[in-house]
Each structure stands twice: as C-alpha cells, then as structure tokens.
Amino acid sequence: MKKLFYFASIVCVTLLTSCSSDSDSNSASIVGKWEYLQEGIKVGDNENLMPYDHFNGSCGKDFLEFTSNNQLLHNEYDANCELNTYNDGTYTRSGNTISVNDGGEVVNATIKELTSTTLKYYVPSTDGTTAVTRVLVLQKKP
C-alpha cells in the first residue's frame, strides 16, 4: 500500500505545468538519489509544508532514485533498519515533463522546481471527491 502511495505521488508530479519563474529546471538533472525533506498541501497560492515523516528515520531517510537507465526506485528503511527498494517503473524526461510508466499505466507530471540540490513537485490527487494538491520537496543525497 505504501509503495502504491509513493508511486501515485511520483506519477502525479508530472501532471502540473511549470511556471516561467522556475529556475534551472530544464538544465538540472533528476538522475540520482533524492531524500524526502518536506511534504504538505497547496491551497490556492499557499503551501503548508511540514517535515517529511520517514518510515524509520532513526535508521536513515527514505529516498527516491532516478537511475541513468530510466528506472524509478523508491527506497525506505523498515523497522529493522533494513533498506527496502521498490521498482516504481520507468521514467522519461522531456524538459520539465516526466512520464512514469508502471506496468503499462503511464502518468505525466511537471517539475515545479529542480536545481542541483532541490527537487520540488506538486501531486494533484483526490481526497474523496475533493481535488487537492500534495507538495513534496526532496533534497539531493550527498
């Protein structure tokens, strides 16, 4: 269930279009490991962000990995401090658009902010019948 949640988050990222004020999003690379830093929701023009709640933060921080061969991997530490890696499918990137394919289901998303150290995206989703926008901020792992 948690894997599906994270996949949905990544997939929905590409559903938004970027603003012209986004800096460096076209030239920065998403390839690498990205730790979850903050999460929250966006209502209107206001973002309400909180620190990301890692599954087992005492062991390490959960992270996403965009590989150079276009695999999208979700990584989290379990209660025993073992790192579990889940393949969330493949991705392609064209400008600020990322297309994620997980077993034939393709979702397109748009990067909100991408620099050499920060990846921020919005995830449109539905809470029952209400449309909400989830915000995720990730930091490049050293």
Side-chain angles (χ1 to χ4, degrees):
M1 180 65 128
K2 194 166 186 175
K3 178 184 171 192
L4 179 62
F5 171 76
Y6 286 110
F7 170 71
S9 296
I10 295 305
V11 168
C12 292
V13 167
T14 56
L15 293 176
L16 297 174
T17 58
S18 65
C19 299
S20 59
S21 63
D22 292 344
S23 60
D24 206 23
S25 293
N26 284 322
S27 61
S29 175
I30 62 172
V31 172
K33 296 176 181 178
W34 297 87
E35 295 177 341
Y36 292 98
L37 186 62
Q38 294 177 305
E39 64 181 339
I41 59 169
K42 180 178 180 286
V43 178
D45 291 334
N46 299 317
E47 293 179 358
N48 184 10
L49 297 174
M50 300 177 302
Y52 180 83
D53 186 19
H54 295 275
F55 184 76
N56 190 349
S58 64
C59 299
K61 294 182 178 179
D62 302 337
F63 63 95
L64 286 178
E65 181 176 5
F66 292 89
T67 69
S68 60
N69 65 345
N70 298 86
Q71 296 294 307
L72 178 59
L73 307 173
H74 170 75
N75 300 271
E76 66 182 36
Y77 291 90
D78 65 17
N80 298 318
C81 292
E82 293 182 26
L83 182 63
N84 295 300
T85 300
Y86 305 98
N87 188 330
D88 285 345
T90 59
Y91 75 92
T92 56
R93 177 176 179 211
S94 177
N96 285 344
T97 300
I98 301 171
S99 298
V100 178
N101 183 334
D102 184 18
E105 182 179 347
V106 177
V107 178
N108 294 314
T110 301
I111 298 167
K112 177 65 181 160
E113 177 184 348
L114 176 61
T115 66
S116 61
T117 59
T118 303
L119 172 58
K120 179 179 182 177
Y121 57 87
Y122 291 167
V123 181
S125 61
T126 303
D127 182 13
T129 58
T130 306
V132 296
T133 301
R134 185 163 181 247
V135 181
L136 289 168
V137 181
L138 297 94
Q139 176 179 302
K140 190 88 171 235
K141 281 180 67 85

